[in-house]
Amino acid sequence: MRGGADKKTGLPRTPKGAGSLCIVSQAFDYACDREIMSWNLMRKVKINEDRCKEQEDKELGVWEDDEINTLQSGSMACWNKCRKYRNSPALFILCGTGLRLGELLALKWSKVDLEHRTIKIERTQTEYTDYDTNSKIYEESTPKNKTSRRTIVINDFTYKWLMEQKRRTEQAGIESEYVIPANSGRMVKESSVTSTFKAFCNYVGVEYKPSHTCRRSHVTNCLDKGMKLALVSKNVGHMSKRLRLIATNAYGLLYQKHNLKHLL
């Protein structure tokens, strides 16, 4: 990306080249993931396509079996030996449920039925900027679409890590209604959990991947177990038939590239 000012106009230079296109494409991918946009229009841009595709492949990855195994053993060792990374079970809960990170952080134990093994998704975490104080505000909100409000089944893998998260919260002396609480017991910020994930992955020697990787890993694992693509897409809360079709196509391509086995 070019810096400095233009010699003729004195104005800041406009970023040029494939690097800028990749950044725009990543921003559009993020918007599609958050269901703000239905399609990334930058997919039609062909300048230095291979370079953008390399970044795209990295962003659309999944957790491999050996990575998950290393992370699981590392999470237990970190907590049991030195009380580090208390909220690292969140990574595995995301993999087991396909929840968005904001949905998990807003989840309260009152919506988790351990007896019947179900979770009701009715809230999510919203981030916005308070321009009066120039600070980030995190609060609970209702999901933007009704299909995001759903009930999902707790499988054995998820149950194990929910109970482990509960154990750690109690051992840390934290009283909270949230499944993944901050040290204060309040709802933990998404940025804080992302920092935890990065530090945890670095500590155990596994390359960090964004939280949405857990969602894609969940989807590919469900497909590997024989679930219908449209049903999987519906279960993870895609809001419309059109977006569900787009997600179905995307997840189908992803599944062809990454055939995860025995994750859950």
Side-chain angles (χ1 to χ4, degrees):
M1 185 178 294
R2 299 173 62 191
D6 185 274
K7 292 182 179 180
K8 293 183 178 180
T9 65
L11 297 173
R13 288 173 175 166
T14 301
K16 296 181 179 180
S20 301
L21 294 175
C22 287
I23 292 173
V24 174
S25 183
Q26 289 171 41
F28 284 2
D29 277 335
Y30 177 85
C32 291
D33 280 343
R34 296 302 178 104
E35 299 178 359
I36 299 170
M37 296 174 60
S38 60
W39 181 249
N40 182 355
L41 301 178
M42 293 298 292
R43 302 285 184 192
K44 299 296 183 181
V45 178
K46 300 299 182 182
I47 299 177
N48 278 349
E49 183 179 8
D50 290 342
R51 183 175 175 183
C52 285
K53 188 175 187 303
E54 179 181 348
Q55 181 65 26
E56 175 186 328
D57 288 342
K58 183 177 180 181
E59 293 296 324
L60 292 179
V62 294
W63 289 112
E64 303 292 350
D65 287 353
D66 58 340
E67 293 175 321
I68 287 293
N69 291 334
T70 299
L71 289 168
Q72 286 189 91
S73 58
S75 177
M76 295 301 295
C78 286
W79 180 255
N80 291 333
K81 294 180 180 179
C82 49
R83 292 296 189 265
K84 292 174 67 75
Y85 308 118
R86 174 175 55 83
N87 284 334
S88 58
L91 189 150
F92 309 115
I93 296 172
L94 291 173
C95 286
T97 60
L99 294 180
R100 301 174 179 91
L101 181 55
E103 293 172 336
L104 176 59
L105 301 186
L107 181 63
K108 299 177 180 178
W109 285 110
S110 59
K111 300 301 179 182
V112 179
D113 187 338
L114 293 174
E115 181 180 356
H116 297 96
R117 296 207 175 190
T118 59
I119 296 175
K120 288 185 177 180
I121 310 301
E122 298 177 346
R123 307 286 286 175
T124 190
Q125 184 179 107
T126 300
E127 172 192 341
Y128 65 91
T129 301
D130 184 341
Y131 290 101
D132 292 333
T133 61
N134 195 30
S135 60
K136 295 287 186 181
I137 304 298
Y138 295 84
E139 63 181 18
E140 285 186 51
S141 66
T142 303
K144 292 182 179 180
N145 57 83
K146 62 181 182 180
T147 54
S148 290
R149 295 189 288 273
R150 60 201 188 278
T151 299
I152 62 174
V153 175
I154 300 173
N155 54 41
D156 291 341
F157 179 84
T158 303
Y159 182 86
K160 167 189 171 181
W161 286 104
L162 281 170
M163 297 307 294
E164 176 61 20
Q165 180 66 51
K166 191 178 185 68
R167 178 180 77 95
R168 295 185 187 189
T169 300
E170 293 173 351
Q171 289 181 344
I174 299 173
E175 294 184 4
S176 178
E177 61 183 337
Y178 291 100
V179 173
I180 311 293
N183 291 332
S184 64
R186 298 176 181 174
M187 181 173 61
V188 66
K189 298 177 181 179
E190 184 170 327
S191 60
S192 177
V193 173
T194 298
S195 295
T196 295
F197 285 174
K198 289 180 178 179
F200 169 58
C201 288
N202 182 66
Y203 187 85
V204 300
V206 174
E207 182 182 0
Y208 167 76
K209 297 177 185 178
S211 61
H212 214 74
T213 304
C214 300
R215 188 167 162 87
R216 289 189 292 268
S217 299
H218 172 77
V219 168
T220 54
N221 184 67
C222 288
L223 297 177
D224 187 65
K225 292 182 179 298
M227 290 184 64
K228 296 294 185 181
L229 206 55
L231 177 59
V232 175
S233 182
K234 181 179 179 180
N235 286 345
V236 295
H238 285 290
M239 67 179 182
S240 68
K241 291 183 178 179
R242 182 164 179 263
L243 279 181
R244 200 173 296 153
L245 178 61
I246 292 171
T248 295
N249 292 335
Y251 288 142
L253 291 174
L254 181 65
Y255 178 61
Q256 292 175 18
K257 295 171 63 177
H258 303 274
N259 185 17
L260 295 185
K261 295 181 179 180
H262 312 303
L263 173 62
L264 304 186

